Amino acid sequence: MEKLELRYEGKAKRVYDTDQNEYFWVAYKDDATAFNGEKKGQIVDKGLVNNQLSALFFEEIEKAGIPTHYVKLLSDRDMLVHRLEMIPLEVVVRNIVAGSLSKRLGVEEGFVLSRPVVELYYKDDALGDPMVNESHVEAMGWASMDVAREIQAMGLKVNSILQSILVKAGIELIDFKLEFGVRDGKVYLGDEISPDTCRYWDIETREKLDKDRFRRDLGKVEEAYQEVYRRVKAVLA
Amino acid sequence: MEKLELRYEGKAKRVYDTDQNEYFWVAYKDDATAFNGEKKGQIVDKGLVNNQLSALFFEEIEKAGIPTHYVKLLSDRDMLVHRLEMIPLEVVVRNIVAGSLSKRLGVEEGFVLSRPVVELYYKDDALGDPMVNESHVEAMGWASMDVAREIQAMGLKVNSILQSILVKAGIELIDFKLEFGVRDGKVYLGDEISPDTCRYWDIETREKLDKDRFRRDLGKVEEAYQEVYRRVKAVLA
Ligand SMILES: Nc1ncnc2c1ncn2[C@@H]1O[C@H](COP(=O)(O)OP(=O)(O)O)[C@@H](O)[C@H]1O
Ligand SMILES: Nc1ncnc2c1ncn2[C@@H]1O[C@H](COP(=O)(O)OP(=O)(O)O)[C@@H](O)[C@H]1O
Ligand SMILES: [Mg+2]
Ligand SMILES: [Mg+2]
């Protein structure tokens, strides 16, 4: 497999063409950004953790019957994926209130929701990724009502799959963000599943083991990423 | 019917007990507020227009099969309604982009949506009425998933009913906000339907005939309220 032209450079990954049209080469970066790009930095070996941890999760999700873009690892920091036509939405699933939802609802961080919350955001940096609902999605032509519902249902299923892995790793899944795309008329889970895109708390100590350590200058950022990867690898070994 | 103790005083109405427990006496005020109470003023005879215009709309909506709290007019500015257990949500229906949606989606005011958009807001002045979705509503216990869906469906039906009246009055219904409540386990449309809670544009001139004249200091505020009332009354006469 050859790495050819750079197709997109995002905040966390570079996406390259390959010599086969149906595949993309994804290279995970150590660059870290927060607050819509206002805060910038580096997290040593983040690319390595996010690539390999995402691979582990995608494998389990695929086994549970949800199509994912993951094909195989190409190196510590590189992954081969199916090329998708991305849907410009972020699907956020939340089990416990944190971050923006805490401000939106005036509820303290840590409040246990009586059921998982599923949110849609329109992926647009210039607009600050506004929250939307199914009717906006259909009215603006970003996806059909059916697809909007399907990706939310897939988000809830991924939530159960990830929770069942993470609980064994002593990690509570607070919330996470997914991105989906379409290939041959079918919806696939794309992008990544990592401490950049999830909130993980240690079940016992409630210590944060995710990007909030970077966002909020809590220190031990690299250690947290490594720790999550180590624990999940051990559970799935 | 007797007007007894003041139960709530809101920004636009006073709600009183009556000598019968199942009814409330609603007195419409001329007070006008905007931007979550930051801007304050008076619109002469707004209370009169909003009371009588709401009554006309509630009658048509009831005829079309949607239960409303409206019982009868008590005076120019007073209305008898069924006492409801209010659901703390605002249901907003939009046909054309205006106001906050224009900012949220970065789309110019006047953009015609390819289908009506239905939004839910948690009615809480201190939080600035945040936008929410059905999963927040159920997770926070504000209403069941079924009720959250029912009030959105009712919102879409009210949209069709109002549009069919307003088009005959030469008015385009841009968007509007509804509030619902429960009585004997059944969902009723409550609150008001007025130029305070709807955006109306003249179909020909695109002139604004609603509270945006007050919000944006466009002048001829009273005239706009009177004009809408006059036209709708003529259509329904
Ligand atoms: N399988 C895929 N096919 C096409 N694009 C993808 C795929 N998976 C992820 N992407 C996209 O790759 C881009 C780069 O990722 P990232 O660096 O996380 O970007 P961003 O800064 O938008 O978050 C994103 O736009 C993401 O949606
Ligand atoms: N039928 C009803 N039964 C009980 N409360 C109602 C009914 N209709 C409207 N209300 C409530 O009456 C209150 C007063 O109305 P308003 O002045 O518009 O208040 P606000 O400042 O909250 O918009 C609101 O809280 C509204 O939800
Ligand atoms: Mg990304
Ligand atoms: Mg009101």
Side-chain angles (χ1 to χ4, degrees), chain A residues 101 103-107 111 113-119 127 130-133 135-136 138-140 142 145, chain B residues 101 103-107 111 113-119 127 130-133 135-136 138-140 142 145:
Chain A
L101 189 62
K103 293 194 192 88
R104 179 180 289 272
L105 300 188
V107 168
F111 179 88
L113 293 159
S114 67
R115 54 151 282 168
V117 157
V118 195
E119 299 166 344
L127 295 172
M131 195 168 98
V132 296
N133 67 33
S135 73
H136 299 111
E138 192 169 73
M140 297 301 293
W142 298 323
M145 183 61 74
Chain B
L101 188 63
K103 293 194 193 88
R104 179 181 290 271
L105 301 187
V107 168
F111 179 89
L113 293 159
S114 67
R115 54 152 283 169
V117 157
V118 195
E119 300 167 343
L127 295 172
M131 195 170 98
V132 296
N133 67 33
S135 73
H136 298 111
E138 192 170 73
M140 298 302 293
W142 298 322
M145 182 62 75

Side-chain angles (χ1 to χ4, degrees), chain B residues 9-232:
Chain B
E9 166 137 22
K11 297 185 289 292
K13 302 184 288 297
R14 288 188 190 90
V15 178
Y16 298 89
D17 274 333
T18 67
D19 44 9
Q20 283 177 271
N21 185 53
E22 65 263 45
Y23 297 125
F24 274 149
W25 177 301
V26 178
Y28 283 73
K29 305 196 283 187
D30 286 353
D31 298 349
T33 64
F35 310 118
N36 199 15
E38 263 175 56
K39 179 171 181 149
K40 288 197 172 82
Q42 290 263 324
I43 300 173
V44 177
D45 284 346
K46 174 170 87 75
L48 184 148
V49 166
N50 288 4
N51 178 48
Q52 299 188 79
L53 191 57
S54 291
L56 290 175
F57 285 141
F58 282 134
E59 277 172 11
E60 295 303 309
I61 291 165
E62 188 88 43
K63 273 190 225 161
I66 293 186
T68 77
H69 70 158
Y70 176 69
V71 180
K72 64 174 181 186
L73 285 176
L74 294 165
S75 85
D76 281 2
R77 296 167 176 274
D78 299 273
M79 176 183 284
L80 189 70
V81 303
H82 292 295
R83 167 204 212 109
L84 303 179
E85 186 78 49
M86 295 305 286
I87 299 162
L89 296 172
E90 300 190 339
V91 177
V92 171
V93 181
R94 302 171 179 273
N95 299 301
I96 292 193
V97 172
S100 67
L101 188 63
S102 169
K103 293 194 193 88
R104 179 181 290 271
L105 301 187
V107 168
E108 67 187 318
E109 199 160 271
F111 179 89
V112 181
L113 293 159
S114 67
R115 54 152 283 169
V117 157
V118 195
E119 300 167 343
L120 296 175
Y121 293 86
Y122 176 49
K123 192 168 153 70
D124 185 313
D125 285 339
L127 295 172
D129 298 337
M131 195 170 98
V132 296
N133 67 33
E134 295 163 6
S135 73
H136 298 111
V137 169
E138 192 170 73
M140 298 302 293
W142 298 322
S144 69
M145 182 62 75
D146 282 351
V147 167
R149 294 203 171 130
E150 187 178 354
I151 61 178
Q152 290 177 88
M154 287 165 88
L156 286 171
K157 202 163 165 203
V158 169
N159 188 39
S160 303
I161 299 164
L162 294 180
Q163 280 183 321
S164 72
I165 300 165
L166 289 164
V167 71
K168 292 182 216 145
I171 294 171
E172 178 126 18
L173 181 61
I174 307 305
D175 56 37
F176 60 94
K177 182 268 298 177
L178 302 176
E179 295 180 26
F180 294 85
V182 177
R183 172 183 173 238
D184 294 338
K186 201 168 103 175
V187 176
Y188 285 72
L189 176 60
D191 209 48
E192 64 179 281
I193 303 179
S194 71
D196 272 13
T197 63
C198 305
R199 283 193 173 92
Y200 303 121
W201 292 1
D202 184 277
I203 281 183
E204 296 297 326
T205 66
R206 313 310 274 170
E207 199 190 358
K208 294 183 200 304
L209 297 172
D210 56 57
K211 194 168 149 187
D212 273 346
R213 302 203 73 84
F214 168 77
R215 288 190 194 96
R216 305 180 191 184
D217 296 316
L218 300 177
K220 296 202 178 171
V221 183
E222 279 83 2
E223 288 83 345
Y225 279 67
Q226 296 288 346
E227 176 70 10
V228 171
Y229 177 43
R230 192 190 59 73
R231 291 200 207 174
V232 171

